Amino acid sequence: MKKFLIILTTLLFVGLSSVVKADDKTSAIVGHVITQAIQGNEMDHAEVMSNELTALMHKYSIEMTTVLLQNMPNILDSISAQLRQELDKQYKCSLQGDYKNKDCS
C-alpha cells in the first residue's frame, strides 16, 4: 500500500508539474516535501510555506516596481494637475478679500 501511494504521488507530481510547467525550485521543494513525508521525517511545514511566501512577495514587489516605473509619467502628470488645481483655487480665494464664495469657506 505504501509503495502504491509513493507511485501515485510521484505520477501525480510529474503530471501536475508538466501541466503547470513548474520551475526547478518549485519542483525541488515539492519533491523534498514528498520525500520527507514518505520517509516519515518531521518537517516544519509552516517554515516552508513562510519561505515560499517570502519568495513570492519578493518576486511580485520587483514586478510592481517595474510597472510603477513604467507608469511614473502618467502618475506624475496626474499629481501635477491636482496640485495646479489646488494652487489655482488657493490663489483665487486669496484675491476675494472679505467676500468668500462657497469654494473658499
Side-chain angles (χ1 to χ4, degrees):
M1 181 68 176
K2 189 173 182 178
K3 288 186 180 186
F4 174 73
L5 287 176
I6 293 170
I7 293 171
L8 181 64
T9 305
T10 305
L11 288 175
L12 181 63
F13 171 68
V14 170
L16 287 177
S17 66
S18 65
V19 171
V20 178
K21 296 185 183 349
D23 61 348
D24 292 335
K25 180 183 177 220
T26 304
S27 299
I29 291 172
V30 171
H32 178 71
V33 169
I34 291 171
T35 302
Q36 295 303 312
I38 290 170
Q39 292 175 352
N41 297 335
E42 289 295 319
M43 212 177 143
D44 188 3
H45 292 72
E47 184 178 355
V48 173
M49 183 64 123
S50 174
N51 291 340
E52 284 303 300
L53 287 175
T54 302
L56 282 173
M57 290 300 297
H58 175 70
K59 174 184 169 186
Y60 289 127
S61 65
I62 289 174
E63 288 180 13
M64 186 172 56
T65 303
T66 303
V67 170
L68 184 65
L69 288 174
Q70 289 173 349
N71 294 312
M72 189 59 77
N74 295 335
I75 294 169
L76 291 176
D77 286 344
S78 174
I79 292 171
S80 176
Q82 289 175 352
L83 285 173
R84 282 192 306 270
Q85 286 178 347
E86 182 63 30
L87 290 172
D88 187 44
K89 178 182 167 187
Q90 288 177 1
Y91 176 69
K92 287 178 182 177
C93 289
S94 71
L95 294 176
Q96 290 181 4
D98 291 335
Y99 170 76
K100 300 287 185 188
N101 64 11
K102 63 181 178 180
D103 292 335
C104 298
S105 48

XYZ file of all heavy atoms in Angstrom:
817
model
N 0.823 -1.189 0.000
C 0.000 0.000 0.000
C 0.871 1.258 0.000
O 0.558 2.214 -0.696
C -0.925 -0.034 1.225
C -1.850 1.137 1.306
S -3.039 1.053 -0.030
C -4.048 2.413 0.321
N 1.962 1.236 0.788
C 2.842 2.394 0.860
C 3.514 2.637 -0.486
O 3.630 3.778 -0.929
C 3.889 2.191 1.956
C 4.709 3.415 2.237
C 5.613 3.210 3.432
C 6.384 4.466 3.728
N 7.239 4.343 4.882
N 3.926 1.576 -1.173
C 4.556 1.731 -2.487
C 3.548 2.261 -3.500
O 3.889 3.054 -4.367
C 5.154 0.408 -2.968
C 6.396 0.013 -2.215
C 7.024 -1.210 -2.804
C 8.281 -1.550 -1.999
N 9.016 -2.637 -2.596
N 2.310 1.822 -3.378
C 1.271 2.311 -4.274
C 1.083 3.823 -4.096
O 0.966 4.559 -5.071
C -0.048 1.571 -4.015
C -1.200 2.132 -4.806
C -1.297 1.910 -6.180
C -2.181 2.896 -4.186
C -2.347 2.439 -6.905
C -3.228 3.419 -4.902
C -3.315 3.185 -6.267
N 1.057 4.290 -2.842
C 0.912 5.724 -2.574
C 2.114 6.498 -3.094
O 1.964 7.598 -3.623
C 0.736 5.968 -1.077
C -0.625 5.575 -0.507
C -0.641 5.766 0.998
C -1.731 6.381 -1.149
N 3.314 5.926 -2.957
C 4.518 6.591 -3.457
C 4.443 6.741 -4.969
O 4.702 7.810 -5.518
C 5.787 5.811 -3.047
C 5.978 5.876 -1.538
C 7.022 6.362 -3.757
C 7.055 4.954 -1.029
N 4.070 5.677 -5.649
C 3.973 5.709 -7.113
C 2.875 6.682 -7.542
O 3.068 7.485 -8.459
C 3.718 4.293 -7.671
C 4.942 3.419 -7.428
C 3.353 4.342 -9.148
C 4.720 1.954 -7.742
N 1.734 6.637 -6.877
C 0.626 7.530 -7.212
C 1.017 8.996 -6.994
O 0.767 9.849 -7.850
C -0.607 7.184 -6.372
C -1.854 8.030 -6.632
C -2.338 7.811 -8.067
C -2.933 7.684 -5.651
N 1.662 9.267 -5.879
C 2.103 10.632 -5.589
C 3.119 11.106 -6.612
O 3.061 12.239 -7.088
C 2.710 10.713 -4.173
O 1.758 10.211 -3.234
C 3.070 12.134 -3.809
N 4.066 10.248 -6.962
C 5.084 10.605 -7.946
C 4.454 10.881 -9.302
O 4.784 11.874 -9.965
C 6.129 9.493 -8.069
O 6.664 9.217 -6.773
C 7.246 9.884 -9.014
N 3.540 10.019 -9.735
C 2.874 10.229 -11.021
C 2.044 11.512 -11.013
O 2.040 12.265 -11.986
C 1.986 9.033 -11.357
C 2.715 7.747 -11.747
C 1.719 6.616 -11.941
C 3.538 7.957 -13.005
N 1.377 11.751 -9.909
C 0.580 12.969 -9.793
C 1.481 14.197 -9.857
O 1.184 15.165 -10.558
C -0.209 12.957 -8.485
C -1.124 14.155 -8.229
C -2.214 14.201 -9.296
C -1.722 14.076 -6.851
N 2.606 14.150 -9.147
C 3.545 15.267 -9.136
C 4.111 15.509 -10.528
O 4.162 16.638 -11.005
C 4.672 14.998 -8.137
C 5.785 15.995 -8.225
C 5.584 17.309 -7.843
C 7.026 15.638 -8.699
C 6.603 18.230 -7.926
C 8.048 16.548 -8.784
C 7.835 17.843 -8.399
N 4.520 14.449 -11.215
C 5.084 14.588 -12.558
C 4.023 15.118 -13.519
O 4.289 16.002 -14.330
C 5.657 13.235 -13.054
C 6.023 13.302 -14.521
C 6.866 12.847 -12.221
N 2.819 14.617 -13.401
C 1.740 15.080 -14.273
C 1.405 16.536 -14.046
O 1.255 17.306 -14.986
N 1.298 16.938 -12.786
C 0.980 18.334 -12.487
C 2.108 19.274 -12.871
O 1.871 20.370 -13.357
C 0.651 18.494 -11.004
C -0.691 17.935 -10.558
C -0.847 18.100 -9.055
C -1.838 18.579 -11.292
N 3.339 18.857 -12.652
C 4.443 19.751 -12.979
C 4.559 19.960 -14.482
O 4.972 21.015 -14.937
C 5.763 19.224 -12.415
O 6.124 18.014 -13.044
N 4.167 18.972 -15.282
C 4.226 19.169 -16.731
C 3.077 20.051 -17.206
O 3.230 20.817 -18.144
C 4.204 17.827 -17.456
O 2.967 17.179 -17.242
N 1.924 19.967 -16.553
C 0.801 20.814 -16.925
C 1.044 22.251 -16.480
O 0.848 23.192 -17.231
C -0.511 20.281 -16.286
C -1.641 21.275 -16.484
C -0.879 18.945 -16.884
N 1.508 22.423 -15.266
C 1.714 23.741 -14.714
C 3.031 24.335 -15.187
O 3.227 25.530 -15.136
C 1.667 23.666 -13.162
C 1.931 25.004 -12.533
C 0.323 23.145 -12.709
N 3.935 23.500 -15.660
C 5.273 23.917 -16.073
C 6.003 24.579 -14.906
O 6.477 25.705 -14.986
C 5.218 24.842 -17.276
C 4.654 24.191 -18.516
C 4.749 25.125 -19.678
C 4.189 24.677 -20.950
N 3.766 23.470 -21.326
N 6.053 23.844 -13.793
C 6.704 24.344 -12.592
C 8.190 24.535 -12.833
O 8.810 23.797 -13.587
C 6.481 23.364 -11.445
N 8.740 25.545 -12.189
C 10.160 25.792 -12.343
C 10.959 24.815 -11.483
O 10.412 24.030 -10.718
C 10.508 27.238 -12.005
C 10.157 27.602 -10.570
O 9.453 26.821 -9.914
O 10.601 28.668 -10.120
N 12.277 24.842 -11.615
C 13.137 23.886 -10.927
C 13.047 24.031 -9.411
O 13.057 23.042 -8.692
C 14.587 24.058 -11.376
C 14.795 23.647 -12.829
O 13.998 22.819 -13.315
O 15.735 24.148 -13.450
N 12.947 25.255 -8.915
C 12.882 25.471 -7.475
C 11.623 24.850 -6.893
O 11.671 24.148 -5.887
C 12.933 26.962 -7.165
C 12.881 27.250 -5.690
C 12.852 28.739 -5.422
C 12.728 28.946 -3.934
N 11.858 30.015 -3.593
N 10.504 25.105 -7.538
C 9.242 24.554 -7.062
C 9.269 23.033 -7.104
O 8.833 22.368 -6.165
C 8.070 25.086 -7.903
O 8.086 26.506 -7.864
C 6.744 24.576 -7.397
N 9.794 22.475 -8.178
C 9.892 21.022 -8.301
C 10.765 20.447 -7.200
O 10.440 19.406 -6.615
C 10.476 20.639 -9.660
O 9.657 21.100 -10.698
N 11.872 21.112 -6.911
C 12.776 20.625 -5.867
C 12.110 20.677 -4.496
O 12.238 19.728 -3.705
C 14.052 21.454 -5.860
N 11.382 21.739 -4.212
C 10.723 21.870 -2.909
C 9.625 20.833 -2.752
O 9.525 20.166 -1.722
C 10.179 23.299 -2.717
C 11.344 24.268 -2.559
C 9.253 23.381 -1.512
C 10.944 25.720 -2.559
N 8.796 20.682 -3.776
C 7.716 19.697 -3.714
C 8.296 18.293 -3.589
O 7.814 17.479 -2.794
C 6.796 19.821 -4.948
C 5.817 18.664 -5.007
C 6.055 21.140 -4.917
N 9.345 18.009 -4.346
C 9.993 16.702 -4.249
C 10.549 16.449 -2.864
O 10.432 15.344 -2.319
N 11.144 17.470 -2.268
C 11.699 17.333 -0.923
C 10.593 17.083 0.105
O 10.731 16.223 0.977
C 12.487 18.589 -0.561
C 13.063 18.563 0.822
N 14.115 17.749 1.162
C 12.723 19.241 1.946
C 14.407 17.927 2.441
N 13.572 18.829 2.923
N 9.495 17.834 -0.004
C 8.380 17.667 0.931
C 7.795 16.267 0.803
O 7.525 15.596 1.807
C 7.301 18.753 0.703
C 6.037 18.442 1.473
C 7.836 20.121 1.079
N 7.610 15.802 -0.433
C 7.073 14.452 -0.651
C 8.027 13.405 -0.085
O 7.596 12.457 0.597
C 6.801 14.209 -2.148
C 5.627 15.071 -2.609
C 6.524 12.744 -2.420
C 5.409 15.063 -4.102
N 9.327 13.561 -0.334
C 10.319 12.608 0.168
C 10.298 12.560 1.687
O 10.316 11.471 2.284
C 11.730 12.996 -0.315
O 11.731 13.044 -1.731
C 12.765 12.018 0.166
N 10.245 13.710 2.316
C 10.229 13.750 3.776
C 8.954 13.126 4.335
O 8.987 12.442 5.357
C 10.387 15.188 4.278
C 11.721 15.822 3.941
C 12.892 15.024 4.480
O 12.906 14.632 5.639
N 13.876 14.783 3.628
N 7.825 13.358 3.663
C 6.564 12.778 4.122
C 6.584 11.265 3.983
O 6.109 10.548 4.874
C 5.402 13.372 3.338
N 7.136 10.762 2.897
C 7.200 9.321 2.670
C 8.123 8.669 3.692
O 7.829 7.594 4.221
C 7.656 9.017 1.227
C 6.548 9.416 0.253
C 8.016 7.555 1.059
C 6.950 9.384 -1.192
N 9.246 9.307 3.980
C 10.203 8.760 4.935
C 9.729 8.907 6.378
O 10.303 8.326 7.275
C 11.562 9.442 4.779
C 12.249 9.115 3.474
C 13.539 9.885 3.283
O 13.873 10.783 4.059
N 14.266 9.543 2.224
N 8.694 9.689 6.591
C 8.148 9.858 7.928
C 8.943 10.829 8.782
O 8.805 10.843 10.006
N 9.777 11.642 8.172
C 10.575 12.626 8.905
C 9.720 13.828 9.275
O 8.839 14.236 8.528
C 11.771 13.085 8.077
C 12.728 11.955 7.775
O 12.793 10.981 8.507
N 13.472 12.090 6.700
N 10.015 14.391 10.442
C 9.315 15.593 10.881
C 9.785 16.781 10.041
O 10.954 16.907 9.719
C 9.594 15.865 12.359
C 8.918 14.890 13.293
C 7.404 14.995 13.234
O 6.886 16.119 13.174
O 6.755 13.944 13.224
N 8.856 17.636 9.703
C 9.181 18.790 8.885
C 8.336 19.962 9.348
O 7.174 19.805 9.700
C 8.865 18.467 7.430
C 9.734 19.121 6.455
S 9.282 18.566 4.820
C 9.527 20.087 4.009
N 8.926 21.150 9.335
C 8.194 22.354 9.715
C 7.540 22.933 8.460
O 8.141 23.708 7.728
C 9.147 23.364 10.352
C 8.415 24.555 10.943
O 7.166 24.558 10.903
O 9.089 25.468 11.431
N 6.296 22.509 8.223
C 5.585 22.947 7.020
C 5.321 24.450 7.034
O 5.299 25.085 5.979
C 4.280 22.177 6.879
C 4.490 20.729 6.573
N 4.958 19.842 7.494
C 4.309 20.019 5.443
C 5.048 18.649 6.973
N 4.666 18.720 5.707
N 5.131 25.018 8.205
C 4.888 26.453 8.302
C 6.111 27.241 7.836
O 5.975 28.266 7.167
C 4.532 26.835 9.733
N 7.302 26.753 8.155
C 8.516 27.443 7.719
C 8.683 27.351 6.210
O 9.064 28.323 5.555
C 9.743 26.859 8.415
C 11.020 27.592 8.076
C 12.227 27.040 8.813
O 12.072 26.151 9.665
O 13.329 27.522 8.514
N 8.392 26.184 5.648
C 8.476 26.025 4.193
C 7.501 26.980 3.507
O 7.860 27.682 2.553
C 8.186 24.561 3.780
C 8.091 24.428 2.271
C 9.249 23.624 4.331
N 6.285 27.041 4.025
C 5.271 27.932 3.450
C 5.687 29.385 3.613
O 5.526 30.191 2.685
C 3.924 27.688 4.117
C 2.832 28.517 3.526
S 2.568 28.080 1.830
C 0.880 27.660 1.864
N 6.227 29.725 4.771
C 6.686 31.095 5.011
C 7.790 31.485 4.036
O 7.779 32.592 3.482
C 7.184 31.228 6.446
O 7.742 32.489 6.659
N 8.736 30.589 3.809
C 9.819 30.878 2.868
C 9.293 31.042 1.447
O 9.768 31.906 0.704
C 10.879 29.779 2.920
C 11.654 29.778 4.214
O 11.689 30.769 4.922
N 12.258 28.656 4.544
N 8.344 30.235 1.061
C 7.769 30.345 -0.279
C 6.991 31.643 -0.436
O 7.059 32.296 -1.474
C 6.867 29.138 -0.582
C 7.639 27.887 -0.897
C 8.580 28.091 -2.063
O 8.133 28.425 -3.177
O 9.789 27.921 -1.854
N 6.239 32.015 0.589
C 5.502 33.280 0.523
C 6.447 34.474 0.468
O 6.190 35.441 -0.251
C 4.560 33.412 1.718
C 3.324 32.514 1.671
C 2.530 32.632 2.969
C 2.449 32.851 0.488
N 7.557 34.389 1.194
C 8.552 35.455 1.145
C 9.137 35.578 -0.258
O 9.311 36.687 -0.780
C 9.675 35.183 2.165
O 9.100 35.085 3.462
C 10.710 36.287 2.160
N 9.428 34.438 -0.884
C 9.968 34.460 -2.246
C 8.949 35.043 -3.225
O 9.310 35.830 -4.118
C 10.365 33.048 -2.673
N 7.677 34.685 -3.064
C 6.636 35.237 -3.936
C 6.467 36.736 -3.732
O 6.313 37.485 -4.712
C 5.298 34.532 -3.679
C 5.136 33.162 -4.295
C 3.836 32.516 -3.817
C 5.162 33.239 -5.805
N 6.503 37.190 -2.486
C 6.390 38.618 -2.217
C 7.553 39.381 -2.842
O 7.369 40.468 -3.386
C 6.334 38.881 -0.708
C 5.048 38.437 -0.063
S 3.595 39.247 -0.748
C 3.917 40.936 -0.315
N 8.738 38.805 -2.789
C 9.899 39.438 -3.407
C 9.712 39.550 -4.919
O 9.942 40.607 -5.514
C 11.160 38.630 -3.085
C 12.382 39.127 -3.772
N 12.989 40.314 -3.448
C 13.107 38.609 -4.793
C 14.029 40.495 -4.230
N 14.122 39.482 -5.053
N 9.252 38.471 -5.520
C 9.032 38.451 -6.976
C 7.995 39.504 -7.379
O 8.217 40.281 -8.317
C 8.564 37.059 -7.395
C 8.178 36.943 -8.835
C 7.631 35.559 -9.137
C 7.005 35.498 -10.499
N 6.356 34.217 -10.741
N 6.875 39.558 -6.657
C 5.818 40.486 -7.027
C 6.182 41.934 -6.700
O 5.729 42.852 -7.383
C 4.489 40.096 -6.382
C 3.913 38.852 -7.009
C 3.547 37.756 -6.244
C 3.753 38.759 -8.386
C 3.044 36.614 -6.830
C 3.257 37.624 -8.979
C 2.889 36.552 -8.195
O 2.393 35.423 -8.777
N 6.991 42.154 -5.671
C 7.409 43.523 -5.387
C 8.332 44.052 -6.484
O 8.272 45.223 -6.850
C 8.080 43.622 -4.020
O 9.277 42.888 -3.999
N 9.162 43.181 -7.038
C 10.006 43.592 -8.165
C 9.149 43.899 -9.389
O 9.358 44.905 -10.071
C 11.061 42.513 -8.470
C 12.110 42.496 -7.351
C 11.729 42.755 -9.820
C 13.119 41.392 -7.463
N 8.156 43.058 -9.657
C 7.257 43.311 -10.782
C 6.467 44.598 -10.581
O 6.275 45.374 -11.521
C 6.300 42.131 -10.961
C 6.965 40.894 -11.514
C 5.992 39.739 -11.674
O 4.761 39.954 -11.599
O 6.484 38.612 -11.872
N 6.028 44.848 -9.347
C 5.265 46.050 -9.058
C 6.129 47.294 -9.254
O 5.659 48.310 -9.785
C 4.743 45.993 -7.620
C 3.818 47.116 -7.269
S 3.032 46.930 -5.667
C 4.418 46.746 -4.575
N 7.395 47.218 -8.866
C 8.307 48.341 -9.065
C 8.483 48.637 -10.546
O 8.488 49.795 -10.962
C 9.679 48.027 -8.423
O 9.482 47.730 -7.050
C 10.632 49.186 -8.566
N 8.603 47.592 -11.349
C 8.752 47.765 -12.795
C 7.521 48.446 -13.389
O 7.647 49.392 -14.178
C 8.979 46.398 -13.467
O 10.119 45.779 -12.883
C 9.185 46.550 -14.961
N 6.336 47.993 -12.997
C 5.098 48.591 -13.503
C 4.978 50.036 -13.041
O 4.590 50.918 -13.812
C 3.872 47.768 -13.042
C 2.569 48.500 -13.333
C 3.872 46.408 -13.711
N 5.348 50.297 -11.796
C 5.291 51.651 -11.273
C 6.216 52.577 -12.055
O 5.833 53.697 -12.416
C 5.668 51.655 -9.790
C 5.567 52.977 -9.064
C 4.122 53.441 -9.010
C 6.141 52.855 -7.674
N 7.411 52.117 -12.348
C 8.351 52.942 -13.116
C 7.867 53.180 -14.540
O 8.086 54.246 -15.103
C 9.736 52.295 -13.125
C 10.491 52.360 -11.794
C 11.784 51.570 -11.883
C 10.769 53.787 -11.394
N 7.212 52.186 -15.146
C 6.678 52.364 -16.492
C 5.555 53.393 -16.517
O 5.384 54.128 -17.492
C 6.165 51.030 -17.040
C 7.252 50.053 -17.370
C 6.690 48.681 -17.744
O 5.514 48.409 -17.555
N 7.549 47.816 -18.248
N 4.771 53.447 -15.443
C 3.623 54.355 -15.391
C 3.917 55.655 -14.664
O 3.013 56.465 -14.458
C 2.433 53.656 -14.733
C 1.930 52.520 -15.582
O 1.736 52.674 -16.772
N 1.744 51.369 -14.982
N 5.149 55.869 -14.267
C 5.505 57.068 -13.497
C 5.146 58.372 -14.214
O 4.632 59.291 -13.573
C 6.993 57.043 -13.138
C 7.392 58.119 -12.160
S 6.503 58.040 -10.594
C 7.329 56.695 -9.806
N 5.368 58.515 -15.522
C 4.975 59.783 -16.169
C 3.480 60.082 -16.020
O 3.103 61.223 -15.749
C 5.347 59.565 -17.641
C 6.429 58.550 -17.602
C 6.095 57.647 -16.447
N 2.631 59.082 -16.164
C 1.188 59.294 -16.012
C 0.837 59.674 -14.580
O -0.009 60.535 -14.338
C 0.409 58.044 -16.419
C 0.571 57.727 -17.881
O 0.853 58.607 -18.685
N 0.409 56.469 -18.242
N 1.486 59.023 -13.630
C 1.226 59.318 -12.225
C 1.654 60.749 -11.898
O 0.921 61.500 -11.255
C 1.960 58.299 -11.321
C 1.371 56.894 -11.521
C 1.887 58.706 -9.858
C 2.175 55.784 -10.892
N 2.832 61.126 -12.360
C 3.332 62.481 -12.088
C 2.470 63.539 -12.771
O 2.248 64.618 -12.203
C 4.789 62.610 -12.526
C 5.790 61.815 -11.689
C 7.179 61.934 -12.276
C 5.768 62.271 -10.240
N 1.988 63.262 -13.977
C 1.091 64.201 -14.656
C -0.188 64.408 -13.854
O -0.677 65.533 -13.726
C 0.747 63.705 -16.062
C 1.897 63.850 -17.039
O 2.848 64.593 -16.726
O 1.837 63.209 -18.109
N -0.730 63.328 -13.323
C -1.961 63.420 -12.538
C -1.730 64.219 -11.261
O -2.537 65.094 -10.908
C -2.453 62.019 -12.190
O -3.550 62.074 -11.320
N -0.635 63.953 -10.573
C -0.322 64.695 -9.353
C -0.100 66.173 -9.671
O -0.580 67.062 -8.952
C 0.911 64.088 -8.655
C 0.574 62.704 -8.118
C 1.411 64.999 -7.535
C 1.767 61.936 -7.595
N 0.605 66.434 -10.747
C 0.867 67.813 -11.152
C -0.434 68.551 -11.443
O -0.612 69.709 -11.041
C 1.774 67.820 -12.385
O 1.969 69.106 -12.858
N -1.365 67.919 -12.134
C -2.652 68.542 -12.443
C -3.437 68.837 -11.166
O -4.028 69.920 -11.027
C -3.467 67.644 -13.371
N -3.437 67.905 -10.235
C -4.144 68.122 -8.969
C -3.521 69.277 -8.187
O -4.235 70.099 -7.603
C -4.144 66.849 -8.128
C -5.026 65.756 -8.671
C -4.908 64.454 -7.878
O -4.059 64.313 -7.008
N -5.764 63.501 -8.205
N -2.201 69.338 -8.149
C -1.527 70.433 -7.453
C -1.841 71.785 -8.101
O -2.068 72.784 -7.406
C -0.019 70.205 -7.422
C 0.483 69.148 -6.446
C 1.973 68.899 -6.652
C 0.198 69.561 -5.015
N -1.847 71.829 -9.445
C -2.173 73.077 -10.138
C -3.581 73.537 -9.794
O -3.827 74.729 -9.552
C -2.019 72.907 -11.648
C -0.594 72.951 -12.135
C -0.506 73.084 -13.652
N -1.245 72.060 -14.370
C -0.745 70.880 -14.752
N 0.517 70.597 -14.499
N -1.484 70.019 -15.409
N -4.542 72.608 -9.752
C -5.921 72.961 -9.417
C -6.017 73.513 -7.995
O -6.698 74.510 -7.750
C -6.840 71.747 -9.561
C -7.140 71.364 -10.982
C -8.008 70.119 -11.065
O -8.194 69.403 -10.091
N -8.534 69.858 -12.264
N -5.326 72.861 -7.059
C -5.372 73.306 -5.669
C -4.721 74.680 -5.513
O -5.255 75.558 -4.826
C -4.686 72.280 -4.763
C -4.732 72.628 -3.295
C -6.146 72.676 -2.721
O -7.033 71.940 -3.206
O -6.355 73.477 -1.790
N -3.586 74.881 -6.159
C -2.915 76.185 -6.076
C -3.745 77.275 -6.732
O -3.803 78.411 -6.237
C -1.530 76.103 -6.709
C -0.500 75.272 -5.938
C 0.775 75.102 -6.751
C -0.214 75.903 -4.590
N -4.396 76.955 -7.845
C -5.262 77.922 -8.518
C -6.431 78.318 -7.618
O -6.778 79.495 -7.502
C -5.765 77.324 -9.828
C -6.528 78.326 -10.671
O -6.049 79.476 -10.789
O -7.595 77.955 -11.203
N -7.013 77.337 -6.947
C -8.123 77.604 -6.040
C -7.660 78.489 -4.881
O -8.342 79.459 -4.518
C -8.682 76.287 -5.508
C -9.797 76.447 -4.519
C -10.254 75.085 -4.021
C -11.143 75.244 -2.806
N -11.476 73.958 -2.200
N -6.511 78.192 -4.305
C -5.988 79.000 -3.204
C -5.719 80.434 -3.654
O -6.003 81.392 -2.938
C -4.711 78.379 -2.632
C -4.943 77.122 -1.840
C -3.636 76.496 -1.357
O -2.565 77.010 -1.589
N -3.757 75.355 -0.687
N -5.184 80.581 -4.851
C -4.891 81.923 -5.380
C -6.182 82.718 -5.589
O -6.281 83.881 -5.200
C -4.103 81.816 -6.676
C -3.852 83.142 -7.341
C -2.988 84.073 -6.756
C -4.484 83.487 -8.524
C -2.764 85.310 -7.352
C -4.265 84.704 -9.127
C -3.398 85.615 -8.538
O -3.185 86.830 -9.126
N -7.186 82.091 -6.186
C -8.461 82.765 -6.418
C -9.119 83.162 -5.108
O -9.692 84.247 -4.993
C -9.397 81.867 -7.219
C -8.994 81.733 -8.665
C -9.925 80.784 -9.403
C -9.486 80.618 -10.842
N -10.331 79.650 -11.569
N -9.016 82.293 -4.117
C -9.611 82.612 -2.813
C -8.870 83.755 -2.133
O -9.481 84.576 -1.443
C -9.601 81.373 -1.910
S -10.767 80.102 -2.440
N -7.556 83.828 -2.343
C -6.792 84.922 -1.724
C -7.144 86.268 -2.360
O -7.011 87.306 -1.724
C -5.289 84.658 -1.833
O -4.848 84.810 -3.164
N -7.561 86.279 -3.612
C -7.921 87.518 -4.296
C -9.285 88.042 -3.878
O -9.596 89.217 -4.090
C -7.907 87.316 -5.815
C -6.549 87.038 -6.448
C -6.715 86.775 -7.936
C -5.599 88.204 -6.217
N -10.131 87.222 -3.286
C -11.505 87.609 -2.971
C -11.595 88.559 -1.787
O -12.570 89.267 -1.634
C -12.359 86.370 -2.715
C -12.604 85.562 -3.965
C -13.468 84.355 -3.704
O -13.953 84.144 -2.608
N -13.664 83.554 -4.741
N -10.612 88.602 -0.946
C -10.655 89.514 0.200
C -11.660 89.062 1.237
O -11.690 87.906 1.628
N -12.537 90.021 1.657
C -13.514 89.700 2.699
C -14.620 88.787 2.189
O -15.167 87.996 2.947
C -14.145 90.990 3.255
C -13.141 91.798 4.049
O -12.173 91.182 4.556
O -13.314 93.022 4.153
N -14.978 88.925 0.929
C -16.033 88.094 0.369
C -15.462 86.716 0.043
O -14.451 86.594 -0.638
C -16.618 88.725 -0.890
C -17.547 87.789 -1.631
C -18.831 87.547 -1.166
C -17.120 87.124 -2.771
C -19.668 86.673 -1.828
C -17.955 86.240 -3.443
C -19.231 86.027 -2.953
O -20.056 85.157 -3.610
N -16.089 85.687 0.509
C -15.632 84.312 0.235
C -16.832 83.536 -0.328
O -17.910 83.491 0.272
C -15.161 83.594 1.505
C -14.000 84.262 2.207
C -12.725 84.060 1.448
C -11.571 84.639 2.254
N -10.342 84.673 1.571
N -16.640 82.930 -1.497
C -17.708 82.089 -2.042
C -17.657 80.719 -1.375
O -16.814 80.444 -0.520
C -17.626 81.991 -3.562
C -16.360 81.305 -4.050
O -15.636 80.728 -3.273
N -16.118 81.382 -5.345
N -18.542 79.810 -1.785
C -18.660 78.514 -1.116
C -17.401 77.657 -1.268
O -17.118 76.817 -0.420
C -19.883 77.754 -1.640
C -19.806 77.399 -3.113
C -21.038 76.672 -3.568
C -20.909 76.404 -5.068
N -22.050 75.722 -5.587
N -16.612 77.842 -2.318
C -15.389 77.057 -2.508
C -14.280 77.502 -1.564
O -13.341 76.735 -1.295
C -14.892 77.160 -3.956
C -15.825 76.483 -4.933
O -16.552 75.558 -4.503
O -15.835 76.885 -6.114
N -14.350 78.712 -1.079
C -13.265 79.279 -0.272
C -13.564 79.346 1.212
O -12.804 79.937 1.972
C -12.924 80.680 -0.779
S -12.340 80.697 -2.486
N -14.680 78.815 1.651
C -15.040 78.958 3.069
C -14.229 78.103 3.991
O -13.393 77.385 3.748
C -16.510 78.667 3.285
O -16.903 77.481 2.647
